[in-house]
Amino acid sequence: MSSLMKGTAILTIGLFLSKLLGLVYIFPFYAIVGEENIGLYNYAYIPYNIMLSIAISGLPIAVSKFVSKYNALGDYDAGRRLVKTGALLMIITGIIAFIIMNLLATPIANIVIDSKEQMFTVEQVADVIQWVSYALILVPFMSLMRGYLQGYGHFLPTSVSQLIEQIARIVFLLGGVFIVMNVLGGDPVTAVNVSVFAAFIGSVGGLATLFYFWKKLRPEIKAVQVVAPKEHQLPYSTMYKEVFKYAIPIVFVGLGSSLFQLVDLLTFNRAMIAGGVSAKLTDTYFTMLNLLTQKIVMIPVVLATGFSMALIPTIAKFYAQKDLIQVRAAMDKTYQVLLFITVPAALGISALAEDLYHFFYEQSEMGTQVLSHYAPLAILFALFTVTAAILQGVEYQKWVVFSLLFGVFTKTILNTSFIKMWSVDGAIIATAIGYGVTIAINIAVISKVTEYKAKIIIRRILLIFILTGVMILAVLITDFVLTWISPADSKVLAFMYAVICAGVGGTIYGVISYKLGLAQALLGDKITKIARKLRLVK
C-alpha cells in the first residue's frame, strides 16, 4: 500500500470512529437530562459548529497540502515558517472567535426565543452558547499542528488526537452531567452548561496528544529543516494566500449541514408559532428535528461515506494524469457503493422509526413521525459529501462554495412558508429541496468536466431501489407480525423488534443483491468470502 493510501486509510478510520462516537453519545446523554432539557444543548452546538468550521475546518488539509508540496520541492523552510507564524495567528484567531461568539450569544438567543412561553429563556440560551465558546480558543492551534504533521506524512497524530479529543469530551460530558444531576442534585440547565463545556476539555485532550507526538517526531522533522536565506524565502503573503485558497472550499464542505441547521435555528420557532403551533412545543420539535433524529439518520451517512470516500484519492490521481476513462469508472463505483449502502439503510430507518425512536429515546408519536420523514434525507446528505469531494478531486473547488450557498439560499427562501403550512415536515421538505439543488449543480459540473454519462449507474440505481422496496416490504410485514403478537411497549422489546426486522430486511437485501451479482460488482470478491462464512452461499 502506498504511503498516500495508507495515510488516507488512517485518517478515514480515525475520522469514522470519531464521528461514530460523536453520534452515539447523545443516547445516554438524553437518558440523563431528558427530552425537555436536551434542546438547550442543541441551541448551543449549532452556532458553535458554524464558528468552529469557519475557524478551523479547512486548516489541517490546507496546511498539510502546503507543507507536503514545498517539502517535495525541497523547501522545508516554507512549512517551518508557516507553522511558526501560524501558531501565533491561530491563537489570535481562537481568541477572536471566542470573543465573537460571546458577543453574538445574546443576539442569537433573542432570535431563537420568540415567546416567553417557550421552554427556555433568552438568558439560558445565551449562557449555554457562551459556555461552549471556550473550546474555540484551543481548536485552531490544534488544527494547525495536525496539518503540519500530516504535511510530513505523519497521519497517526491527527487520527489519534481526534479520537482522544472525542473520548475526553464524551467522558467529561456524561460524567459531569451525571454528577450534577444525580450526585449534587443540580438543575438541568447547569448540567447542560457543563455538557457543552466538555468541548473545551476534549480540545485539551486532543492538544496534549499532539504535543506527545510532536515531542516524539520533532528530531526527525528538525533534521531535514534548513533555514533558507531571506532572498530565497517565500513571502508570507504568498504563503497565506495559498493556504486560504486550499482551505476555503473545504470550510464550506464542513459547513454544509450546519448552515442548513442554522436556517432552522433562526426561523423554526417563529414560523411554527406563526403557523399556530403552541410555543411550549416548538423547542421540543426543533430538538427532535435537528438533534435527536439527526443523530440516528447520520449513522448510515457516516458508514456509507466512509466506504465511498476511500475512492476519492483514486479519482484525484486519475484526473491529475488526465485519464478521464478511469475517472469516470471510479466515479461510477463511488456513486454505486454510496447508494447501495445508504438507500436501504435510510429507508430501513424510516420503516422502523417507531421502534428505533422508542429504543434510543422514548415512545413518541411525533418523534416517530419526524424520524420516519427525515430519514430518507440521509441519501442526500451522503450524495452532497461525495459530490463535493469529487469536485475537490478534479480541482473545481469554487463550485462547491457556489452550489452550497445556492442550496442554503433556496432553503432560506422556502423554510418559513413551508413550516407555516406543514409544520416540522415543512422544514424537512425545504432541506430536501435545498440539498437537491446543491447536489444537482455539483453533478452537472462534474459531468461536464469529466464528460460523464450516467447510463450504467441509472440502471443500477433503479435496481437498488427495487431491491430496497422488496426489503422494506419484508421489514414491514415482520414488524406487523411481531407487533400483532405483542406490542413493543418497552425499550427491550423495541430493540428486539428493530434488530429482528433489520436482520430480516438486511438478509433479504444482501442475498438477492448477491444472487444478482450486484454485491460482488460493488464490494469485490471479499463479499463472497463473507457470504460463505455466513453460509448464505456454497
Side-chain angles (χ1 to χ4, degrees), residues 155-219:
F155 298 94
L156 194 61
T158 294
S159 192
V160 175
S161 67
Q162 283 175 333
L163 271 178
I164 296 297
E165 180 185 3
Q166 193 70 282
I167 290 168
R169 182 177 79 88
I170 291 169
V171 168
F172 183 87
L173 184 153
L174 295 177
V177 169
F178 181 82
I179 289 169
V180 170
M181 294 286 288
N182 298 301
V183 177
L184 301 177
D187 64 281
V189 172
T190 303
V192 173
N193 286 338
V194 169
S195 74
V196 296
F197 185 70
F200 176 78
I201 302 300
S203 64
V204 171
L207 196 57
T209 306
L210 284 173
F211 274 123
Y212 165 77
F213 279 105
W214 170 250
K215 191 175 179 181
K216 189 177 177 182
L217 297 169
R218 191 180 179 188

Side-chain angles (χ1 to χ4, degrees), residues 55-66:
I56 61 98
S57 69
L59 198 64
I61 296 174
V63 172
S64 170
K65 198 171 180 180
F66 178 90

Side-chain angles (χ1 to χ4, degrees), residues 29-40 119-120 281 283-285 287-288 291-292 357 361-364 366-367:
F29 179 43
Y30 176 93
I32 298 171
V33 299
E35 183 179 70
E36 290 185 355
N37 303 303
I38 202 168
L40 189 58
M119 201 173 296
F120 308 109
L281 297 174
D283 295 299
T284 301
Y285 288 166
T287 303
M288 284 178 176
L291 180 64
L292 302 182
Y357 199 91
Y361 305 118
E362 60 186 41
Q363 264 188 320
S364 169
M366 189 62 192

Side-chain angles (χ1 to χ4, degrees), residues 126-172:
D127 281 349
V128 79
I129 292 173
Q130 289 170 343
W131 272 99
V132 78
S133 65
Y134 285 96
L136 292 169
I137 298 171
L138 298 180
V139 173
F141 177 72
M142 181 166 59
S143 298
L144 177 75
M145 291 299 298
R146 283 172 177 162
Y148 185 62
L149 292 172
Q150 283 174 219
Y152 277 86
H154 299 295
F155 298 94
L156 194 61
T158 294
S159 192
V160 175
S161 67
Q162 283 175 333
L163 271 178
I164 296 297
E165 180 185 3
Q166 193 70 282
I167 290 168
R169 182 177 79 88
I170 291 169
V171 168
F172 183 87

